[in-house]
Amino acid sequence: GDSVDDKWMYCVSLVFRKSSNIMPQISEQEINNECLSELQHDESFGGTEAFESPLFFTESDDGRSRKMKVSLELKEFNRKLQEFKWSQQFGQGATIGLALISSRNVTQTMRETLSLLFKDFCSIKSSTEGLKTPCQMCQPLVDILGVLSHSQVEKSSLGCLLQPYLAYTTSKWVHRPLSDQSDIFLESAGIQLMQSLPPVPLALAFVTLLLEQKVVFSSSRRGVLMSASFAMMQLLKPLKWAHLQVPLVPASMINELVHYPAPFVLGIPTDEKESAGVLSTLPSDVTLIDLDVGRVILASVFVNASKSEDEESDEAAAGALRSQVLFLAECLGGAFGAAMYQNAWCSDSPLQIFPNERDIFVKQRRREGNFSEVLTICDEFISELVSGIHPCCLWIEEKHDDETNIRNEPAIIFDENRFFHIKNLRAEG
């Protein structure tokens, strides 16, 4: 999906969901002071390469108020903004968000834009006693998004709001090739994958996809689901996944897609109500990759496995194949681990952590690695895997007289015995 002609669309979203489980750390007055009261038209204001926040505070007899400079006059937006606060109109579970979409892989710019927008609107310093560090307050941005949900507001409102943030983030990339953003996106996706899966489970997921199995990624973090799906496809290069791939499955389609009859790669968010029941009752030929726990539950039945009339023989063959897959993943995982933790000294913790000391000793594992090294290992593995294929493929085409118009499709026959003979010779050196 790196060219304009590809059928991919790239999307980065910022989503807020109201929860009653989080206790507010700041007063109601502070919340009101931080929420935007007006968009102020300023013709001289515009996006520059050096970021200048459009938000500012004014003092009056009525108190302190927060405003925002915009390049156009938005009367209807201001009227809706002052009518009510969207964040106070809905109860627990209410959801609102903003998504940036592009036909090009400018994911890095879109992420930076939404991150800068969130930081500018939602990072505040509280005067509440005992709260010394800056905190995040979502209400100011939630109220703005709520106003944008009204069809009566000016269509140019969203563009005006995003203009200073987009201008700053795009200025860093405008003179660089588009492939730079793709490379950074690939690296960040790979790092997220390596942080979610230890070396051996990562190798097992890689081998499972090489065998063209049915695979489900699960996580409560949608961004991780997207990154893992994309990064795994990169590990398969120069091969290409030719089957169904849905990095983020809609809730209404989860139960239907897990029973799809052909190989697939699905991403299922675990915070959906429908997910828990489906993930606990997956078909026997589906492999589950839990990105939150960091484990791979290998399917008990492999897709496209050869079957005979003897069920016991089939079970024995399936068991032997599973053992080989697990052994291969163990070996390949060792190579992954060496690449991911090149300079690490490892040891079991010498500390005995008792229940009453858990708050004192907090175990933090930070997994860092070079995704490009893992890519290289996978590329070398696949190159060795497919070496010798070409001389084992026979092109069969039926010859006809020129007078006839019959044209049959040619067939390709693969000489399996010759291929294994070549592999044995390469193994012997």
Side-chain angles (χ1 to χ4, degrees):
D2 296 331
S3 67
V4 181
D5 297 330
D6 287 329
K7 296 180 180 179
W8 287 90
M9 293 295 289
Y10 297 89
C11 174
V12 176
S13 60
L14 177 64
V15 180
F16 300 93
R17 176 176 295 178
K18 190 168 186 179
S19 173
S20 61
N21 298 326
I22 302 175
M23 297 298 294
Q25 296 178 309
I26 55 180
S27 65
E28 187 68 26
Q29 183 60 42
E30 285 180 304
I31 294 177
N32 293 331
N33 290 340
E34 294 294 333
C35 289
L36 210 61
S37 62
E38 182 185 359
L39 299 185
Q40 189 174 92
H41 180 211
D42 186 348
E43 293 182 354
S44 62
F45 183 78
T48 59
E49 292 189 2
F51 179 69
E52 176 186 354
S53 175
L55 304 177
F56 64 98
F57 287 95
T58 59
E59 299 287 347
S60 64
D61 295 338
D62 297 330
R64 191 186 189 202
S65 61
R66 196 183 196 189
K67 299 181 180 181
M68 180 179 184
K69 297 178 183 178
V70 291
S71 56
L72 296 175
E73 189 172 3
L74 304 173
K75 294 182 179 180
E76 189 62 29
F77 187 98
N78 278 328
R79 187 177 69 82
K80 289 291 184 182
L81 181 63
Q82 294 166 7
E83 276 185 4
F84 69 94
K85 291 187 177 181
W86 195 91
S87 59
Q88 298 178 356
Q89 302 299 312
F90 299 90
Q92 182 180 1
T95 303
I96 193 169
L98 171 65
L100 301 181
I101 302 175
S102 174
S103 60
R104 294 179 177 270
N105 190 356
V106 290
T107 307
Q108 190 65 24
T109 296
M110 294 190 291
R111 281 180 173 174
E112 290 176 357
T113 300
L114 292 184
S115 295
L116 185 60
L117 177 71
F118 178 82
K119 182 179 179 181
D120 200 29
F121 269 88
C122 304
S123 296
I124 66 168
K125 292 183 179 180
S126 174
S127 60
T128 302
E129 185 178 355
L131 192 62
K132 299 180 180 180
T133 58
C135 61
Q136 308 293 339
M137 184 175 67
C138 301
Q139 284 93 330
L141 191 50
V142 168
D143 286 337
I144 293 296
L145 297 179
V147 174
L148 289 170
S149 66
H150 289 282
S151 59
Q152 296 91 341
V153 301
E154 294 85 352
K155 294 182 179 180
S156 57
S157 300
L158 180 58
C160 286
L161 290 168
L162 292 178
Q163 180 185 1
Y165 307 100
L166 278 171
Y168 173 70
T169 54
T170 55
S171 65
K172 298 187 294 182
W173 299 99
V174 68
H175 299 300
R176 298 171 62 178
L178 185 63
S179 59
D180 284 2
Q181 289 199 58
S182 298
D183 293 341
I184 290 180
F185 171 67
L186 168 61
E187 187 67 25
S188 61
I191 290 175
Q192 280 190 298
L193 178 63
M194 292 191 299
Q195 289 174 341
S196 301
L197 291 177
V200 174
L202 177 59
L204 183 56
F206 169 68
V207 174
T208 303
L209 288 179
L210 274 181
L211 292 174
E212 297 181 284
Q213 299 300 301
K214 298 179 180 180
V215 175
V216 167
F217 289 94
S218 69
S219 175
S220 59
R221 301 162 293 170
R222 285 168 168 76
V224 173
L225 284 175
M226 298 292 293
S227 295
S229 179
F230 181 84
M232 289 303 302
M233 295 303 109
Q234 299 303 306
L235 294 181
L236 295 178
K237 288 186 175 180
L239 302 179
K240 188 175 182 179
W241 184 258
H243 307 287
L244 177 67
Q245 181 189 3
V246 186
L248 194 59
V249 179
S252 60
M253 300 179 65
I254 291 177
N255 192 55
E256 181 180 353
L257 287 182
V258 295
H259 292 92
Y260 187 73
F264 55 68
V265 173
L266 305 178
I268 297 181
T270 55
D271 56 354
E272 297 286 355
K273 292 181 179 179
E274 297 82 356
S275 301
V278 173
L279 293 175
S280 61
T281 57
L282 286 174
S284 58
D285 60 350
V286 176
T287 295
L288 175 63
I289 302 176
D290 192 330
L291 298 172
D292 291 336
V293 178
R295 65 176 178 177
V296 177
I297 303 177
L298 192 62
S300 57
V301 178
F302 283 94
V303 178
N304 298 326
S306 58
K307 295 183 179 181
S308 64
E309 296 180 357
D310 189 352
E311 294 184 2
E312 293 184 1
S313 177
D314 289 344
E315 291 180 1
L321 180 57
R322 281 175 55 85
S323 299
Q324 291 177 353
V325 168
L326 292 171
F327 176 76
L328 178 58
E330 190 75 27
C331 297
L332 196 57
F336 284 178
M340 293 164 65
Y341 312 111
Q342 294 179 2
N343 301 315
W345 290 81
C346 301
S347 170
D348 291 336
S349 174
L351 300 177
Q352 177 75 32
I353 308 299
F354 296 98
N356 58 347
E357 297 176 329
R358 292 186 187 277
D359 293 336
I360 302 175
F361 299 97
V362 180
K363 187 179 181 181
Q364 295 180 342
R365 297 185 61 188
R366 185 182 179 188
R367 299 189 182 116
E368 294 181 349
N370 191 342
F371 186 61
S372 61
E373 294 290 336
V374 177
L375 279 173
T376 301
I377 294 172
C378 292
D379 181 70
E380 293 175 351
F381 178 82
I382 293 175
S383 297
E384 177 60 33
L385 189 67
V386 301
S387 63
I389 281 183
H390 293 294
C392 299
C393 294
L394 303 177
W395 181 282
I396 307 297
E397 185 174 356
E398 187 176 354
K399 186 177 181 181
H400 296 276
D401 296 334
D402 295 337
E403 298 178 357
T404 63
N405 294 324
I406 300 175
R407 290 292 182 268
N408 291 333
E409 289 292 331
I412 299 177
I413 297 178
F414 182 69
D415 191 339
E416 185 176 307
N417 292 332
R418 186 178 183 183
F419 179 74
F420 284 123
H421 178 66
I422 294 175
K423 287 299 179 185
N424 289 332
L425 291 178
R426 290 179 66 86
E428 293 172 359

